Amino acid sequence: MDVSEILNPLNEAQRSAVTVDGQHALILAGAGSGKTRVLVHRISWLIEVEKVSPYAVLAVTFTNKASAEMRGRIESLLGIPVGSMWVGTFHSLAHRLLRAHWQDADLPQGFQILDSQDQQRVIKRLIKAMDLDDSQWPAKQAQGFINSRKDEGLRSAHIEDRGDPYLRQMIKIYQGYEEICQRGGLIDFAELLLRALELWRNKPDVLNHYRSRFSHILVDEFQDTNSIQYAWVQLLAGDQNKLFVVGDDDQSIYGWRGAKIENIQRFSKDFSGTQTFRLEQNYRSTGNILKAANALIANNTSRLGKELWTDGNNGEPIQLYRAFNDFEEARYVVEQISIYTELDMRRDDHAILYRSNAQSRLFEEALLARGISYRVYGGLRFYERAEIKDALAYLRLMSNRHDDPSFERVVNLPTRGIGERSLQAIRDHSRDYRVSLWDAACTLCQQQLLASRAMSALSGFISLIEKLAGDCDGLDLGDTVELVIEHVGLIEHFKKDKGERGQARIENLDELGTAARQFQYDESIDMSQLDAFLSHASLESGESGDSQSDDCVQLMTLHSAKGLEFPAVFLCGVEEGLFPHKMSIEEPGRLEEERRLCYVGITRARQRLYITHAETRRIHGAETFPAPSRFINEIPEELIKEIRPKQRAPQVSTLRHLRPQTARRRSAPLDDAPLGLRLGQQVSHPKFGEGTVMSYEGQGKQARVQVNFNAAGSKWLVAAYANLQAV
């Protein structure tokens, strides 16, 4: 291969990085700056120009997809097979190492890898064998504890309990899990890296073999490495081998799962003689989008520093839309997508990004109403999520005690001590006597045909459902859903998962309460309000947002969007408390990660970027009035075009009769408002006192008015019976 073939496709900064002749190199590769190209061309340079053997190169990526892409591009560029080269993820390379040195690693030759679900099952059985209450010591929580300690390079013997009873018990679970895995020849994902690191530490001859073999080590996405991955690279490199690491500290957004931004920040100190290269020319976005990203991220103090630029045009200004509420926000976003798809843009050219996956619901409903296919990237649609199905199962069982699938789903969720043997007895009785599982359970309890512990737990479950049904009698739908979610223990159950996933599930349950409060009940249909809502949820779950084509609008969280790009991006819910998230606002380190997450979102856009926020949003069952996010204020005004809402936001009349209607903007007088009320008008209620009219929906006798009362908070009232008086 001619040298020009390697260098000609590169810009000046990329060429400097690819041809570096030194001990170590740190490549700060900004978003859209061609980092994969640099990695591939660096490998080609080493092999073709510096005559390094392909077998002396080790390249580490973070995903199997990235690994496959790198292999394909190396093969295409060099025209040689790369099957025997060590190019892969940290886990795949560690696995390859352990297979080759299973005896040195104290493993059986046929050791088996546990995936995440298998690992959780092993831990669950262990907790049961230790006679621990699995509601107090859930397997998922113990799994997270074990994996996070392994990611720090810690065995159970290395952890001190410091007099903490909780920590002491977790260490015992970790010890028991280690014994089971060693006895059974089992390896989980975190163990792959830890065992490989220990192999090198404990067997100097093995380490020296690989140090002498891999003279050049290349690592992608270095800002996402955790403690053990950094130690792994550091140990293998030693004093002689050359490291070439590529990353972007401004895109470090996975601190919540163990990534250490400090690794890339301290790299030059830990590896003397490091040369740093900045790839700042962006090939993805317009000038205005890049200027916004640069201005935003400049507010972070602990960064290595770079500034993205493009030789392309500035493009359109960033469109900033302030919606009256979250319904109008969804309506506006979908309306814009509809306009552009009618102009022959593909649906999959558009991405809707949000901080919390609970935000997806309104966008899903609005897209379905417009008949626009969509895909929730890296996740399930709202009503298909497990925690939503759990809560709906409780509601269905309250409505219909003979709903067997719902009974089976929640009878032991959260865990109550109703084991598989007891459940099988219930199923057998149901089958033999041709009764529902509920009736079978009641009979077995009445006749005391189960073990005392199981019978007590089952009786408690039956009493819980009966009490909830009584307590909810006469309540409106929103109060019913929120009361059930609160009292069945799902919130406390998911709080035990301390990570991002547990928080997301709690937010989804809160959003289910919001969905119930916003649900438009049609009294002309012959079913209760609760049954109508449950039917609505089933229809939403069953109605596919996907089409046979791949041409679908993409919905995803900002974390899922990293590494992707789209012609048009809608960054939604950019409000204080939501983005940045309320849990991050008080901690400078976490706030900076939130800002990096916003930077990632902005730099996903190629031609058009929309930022939206709402003046009112229902969160945790209550109407809130969030301030626009500080991130909006950090973007220079000259880059932004504020889109003024229409004088009044039209109702989403295309929604099915089970879907809620969009509220109206408060700024406009409404000729058709109930009882002649105007949005923003001050009114008085005989019970709740004075308040402000915020929105309304419907017409005639069924028209409802939303009033934010000074003392009682936000209330939806039937206008015809509210006795509201103008102040």
Side-chain angles (χ1 to χ4, degrees):
M1 171 185 280
D2 191 271
V3 174
S4 61
E5 292 182 61
I6 299 175
L7 298 183
N8 283 350
L10 308 176
N11 64 35
E12 185 176 344
Q14 292 170 339
R15 289 177 190 173
S16 298
V18 164
T19 60
V20 61
D21 183 18
Q23 184 68 8
H24 306 297
L26 169 61
I27 317 302
L28 295 177
S33 64
K35 69 178 179 63
T36 304
R37 172 179 290 184
V38 167
L39 278 164
V40 170
H41 283 250
R42 173 62 177 171
I43 293 172
S44 302
W45 176 268
L46 291 172
I47 294 171
E48 291 293 324
V49 179
E50 297 191 11
K51 303 305 179 184
V52 174
S53 167
Y55 309 112
V57 175
L58 180 140
V60 188
T61 65
F62 259 80
T63 66
N64 291 320
K65 179 182 177 182
S67 174
E69 180 185 358
M70 185 178 292
R71 284 173 170 273
R73 289 171 71 166
I74 294 170
E75 209 163 80
S76 174
L77 192 59
L78 293 178
I80 62 171
V82 296
S84 58
M85 286 182 65
W86 282 53
V87 178
T89 65
F90 275 104
H91 291 95
S92 67
L93 296 178
H95 176 242
R96 185 170 177 174
L97 178 69
L98 294 175
R99 287 293 180 196
H101 300 277
W102 54 273
Q103 287 177 305
D104 290 322
D106 193 24
L107 289 169
Q109 186 173 11
F111 68 84
Q112 299 296 311
I113 298 177
L114 291 171
D115 65 18
S116 182
Q117 290 186 343
D118 289 337
Q119 183 190 26
Q120 195 174 136
R121 290 190 191 99
V122 170
I123 295 171
K124 191 170 186 177
R125 287 196 297 269
L126 170 64
I127 289 170
K128 187 175 182 180
M130 294 175 71
D131 201 26
L132 295 174
D133 183 352
D134 55 6
S135 63
Q136 185 178 356
W137 303 98
K140 189 167 185 60
Q141 187 175 342
Q143 180 185 30
F145 175 87
I146 291 168
N147 290 343
S148 65
R149 297 316 184 274
K150 287 188 178 186
D151 285 345
E152 293 294 324
L154 299 174
R155 294 287 182 195
S156 61
H158 302 151
I159 309 169
E160 297 180 4
D161 62 38
R162 301 188 297 273
D164 183 339
Y166 169 83
L167 192 56
R168 187 181 305 120
Q169 187 60 66
M170 278 297 188
I171 293 170
K172 289 180 180 178
I173 294 172
Y174 187 1
Q175 287 172 332
Y177 174 73
E178 285 179 313
E179 291 169 5
I180 290 172
C181 289
Q182 188 63 29
R183 189 166 58 242
L186 305 174
I187 294 281
D188 58 54
F189 287 124
E191 181 74 14
L192 282 169
L193 296 181
L194 180 54
R195 187 69 66 116
L197 183 67
E198 291 173 339
L199 168 66
W200 281 337
R201 283 176 175 168
N202 299 334
K203 302 291 181 179
D205 56 328
V206 177
L207 174 61
N208 289 333
H209 167 75
Y210 285 99
R211 278 181 172 175
S212 63
R213 174 173 177 175
F214 295 123
S215 57
H216 291 268
I217 303 165
L218 300 91
V219 185
D220 192 12
E221 302 285 10
F222 199 74
Q223 78 282 348
D224 292 334
T225 53
N226 60 24
S227 296
I228 199 166
Q229 289 162 343
Y230 192 83
W232 202 86
V233 170
Q234 198 170 24
L235 189 60
L236 180 59
D239 297 327
Q240 302 299 320
N241 296 330
K242 297 180 180 180
L243 279 169
F244 186 95
V245 303
V246 182
D248 183 3
D249 57 320
D250 290 335
Q251 295 189 73
S252 178
I253 59 173
Y254 297 122
W256 51 276
R257 69 182 189 196
K260 303 283 189 182
I261 191 174
E262 298 85 359
N263 292 347
I264 194 169
Q265 292 172 338
R266 77 187 209 201
F267 182 83
S268 296
K269 295 178 182 177
D270 287 351
F271 297 92
S272 60
T274 294
Q275 297 182 57
T276 300
F277 300 87
R278 287 173 169 80
L279 305 185
E280 297 172 305
Q281 184 173 0
N282 178 281
Y283 293 93
R284 175 189 301 160
S285 305
T286 63
N288 283 334
I289 291 171
L290 297 180
K291 290 173 188 175
N294 289 331
L296 172 87
I297 203 64
N299 290 276
N300 276 3
T301 56
S302 55
R303 56 190 295 259
L304 297 171
K306 64 183 175 313
E307 185 136 338
L308 298 178
W309 61 275
T310 178
D311 59 7
N313 58 39
N314 281 331
E316 300 177 12
I318 294 163
Q319 313 288 307
L320 176 64
Y321 186 77
R322 183 187 66 223
F324 170 57
N325 61 17
D326 40 4
F327 267 100
E328 192 201 348
E329 178 186 45
R331 176 202 60 78
Y332 171 76
V333 169
V334 173
E335 184 179 85
Q336 296 308 301
I337 293 172
S338 178
I339 290 170
Y340 282 108
T341 54
E342 289 173 3
L343 296 174
D344 294 329
M345 280 191 69
R346 289 174 58 87
R347 287 182 285 271
D348 61 5
D349 285 340
H350 302 83
I352 301 173
L353 310 183
Y354 35 78
R355 177 62 180 85
S356 166
N357 66 11
Q359 293 170 254
S360 76
R361 181 184 65 87
L362 291 180
F363 296 107
E364 291 183 55
E365 291 193 352
L367 287 163
L368 283 171
R370 285 266 189 169
I372 299 174
S373 59
Y374 69 90
R375 178 176 292 112
V376 180
Y377 184 93
L380 298 170
R381 297 195 299 273
F382 182 78
Y383 286 104
E384 294 175 346
R385 294 168 188 162
E387 59 275 13
I388 299 302
K389 287 188 171 183
D390 296 338
L392 293 174
Y394 273 104
L395 292 163
R396 288 194 173 97
L397 196 58
M398 278 174 46
S399 177
N400 174 17
R401 305 293 196 282
H402 307 302
D403 184 334
D404 285 353
S406 294
F407 179 93
E408 284 225 53
R409 186 176 187 97
V410 299
V411 65
N412 199 39
L413 181 76
T415 51
R416 300 183 171 86
I418 304 171
E420 182 58 31
R421 183 178 299 178
S422 299
L423 285 173
Q424 192 56 51
I426 296 170
R427 295 186 196 107
D428 292 343
H429 188 92
S430 169
R431 183 191 63 243
D432 294 344
Y433 292 91
R434 297 183 179 181
V435 296
S436 66
L437 293 175
W438 175 271
D439 284 345
C442 292
T443 299
L444 292 177
C445 286
Q446 291 165 1
Q447 298 180 6
Q448 300 185 0
L449 298 176
L450 297 173
S452 57
R453 182 184 174 190
M455 189 167 63
S456 174
L458 188 59
S459 297
F461 173 73
I462 292 170
S463 298
L464 172 67
I465 299 300
E466 296 286 9
K467 184 177 187 306
L468 285 173
D471 290 346
C472 292
D473 188 25
L475 293 182
D476 65 28
L477 178 62
D479 289 338
T480 294
V481 172
E482 289 172 3
L483 185 146
V484 169
I485 290 172
E486 179 183 355
H487 285 86
V488 299
L490 289 175
I491 297 291
E492 291 303 315
H493 174 65
F494 292 123
K495 277 183 179 178
K496 292 173 183 174
D497 184 349
K498 302 296 184 183
E500 187 95 356
R501 182 179 298 180
Q503 178 63 30
R505 285 177 166 169
I506 292 169
E507 290 172 353
N508 283 335
L509 289 173
D510 287 335
E511 181 63 17
L512 182 64
T514 299
R517 290 200 177 278
Q518 294 173 335
F519 175 65
Q520 184 72 36
Y521 175 53
D522 185 346
E523 292 186 347
S524 67
I525 58 176
D526 187 20
M527 64 174 69
S528 69
Q529 193 176 18
L530 175 58
D531 286 338
F533 178 67
L534 293 172
S535 297
H536 162 65
S538 296
L539 290 169
E540 289 284 342
S541 178
E543 184 172 342
S544 176
D546 298 349
S547 69
Q548 296 300 313
S549 165
D550 289 332
D551 187 18
C552 300
V553 174
Q554 306 293 307
L555 278 69
M556 66 191 75
T557 64
L558 282 149
H559 283 102
S560 298
K562 187 169 179 292
L564 304 175
E565 59 183 76
F566 306 90
V569 165
F570 295 84
L571 192 53
C572 303
V574 187
E575 302 149 15
E576 287 292 300
L578 187 57
F579 190 35
H581 197 279
K582 62 184 178 184
M583 295 174 65
S584 304
I585 289 175
E586 301 300 324
E587 298 181 38
R590 294 184 67 178
L591 179 59
E592 291 212 347
E593 182 160 318
E594 289 285 296
R595 187 174 283 111
R596 292 194 293 270
L597 190 58
C598 188
Y599 175 85
V600 166
I602 289 172
T603 54
R604 298 313 92 193
R606 296 210 295 260
Q607 283 98 39
R608 289 194 307 281
L609 174 64
Y610 292 78
I611 297 177
T612 67
H613 66 97
E615 294 178 355
T616 66
R617 186 179 299 274
R618 184 169 283 275
I619 298 177
H620 307 307
E623 202 76 17
T624 63
F625 304 90
S629 171
R630 68 192 71 192
F631 299 153
I632 295 175
N633 296 329
E634 291 170 359
I635 298 174
E637 288 185 13
E638 63 268 21
L639 301 178
I640 291 176
K641 178 181 179 182
E642 188 164 1
I643 306 300
R644 296 295 178 185
K646 295 176 182 177
Q647 279 241 312
R648 66 178 175 183
Q651 292 185 353
V652 185
S653 57
T654 53
L655 292 176
R656 292 199 302 257
H657 69 276
L658 288 176
R659 288 199 178 94
Q661 291 178 312
T662 300
R664 308 289 184 130
R665 284 204 55 79
R666 82 170 93 176
S667 58
L670 301 173
D671 298 333
D672 56 343
L675 306 181
L677 295 172
R678 299 163 69 91
L679 296 179
Q681 184 176 3
Q682 297 295 304
V683 295
S684 176
H685 184 273
K687 178 179 178 181
F688 301 125
E690 292 188 4
T692 304
V693 177
M694 303 303 298
S695 66
Y696 84 90
E697 59 188 29
Q699 294 179 344
K701 290 184 178 180
Q702 299 308 314
R704 298 199 308 155
V705 179
Q706 183 192 28
V707 181
N708 187 41
F709 292 102
N710 299 337
S714 180
K715 302 285 184 184
W716 279 97
L717 306 171
V718 178
Y721 307 105
N723 295 323
L724 293 174
Q725 301 294 323
V727 175

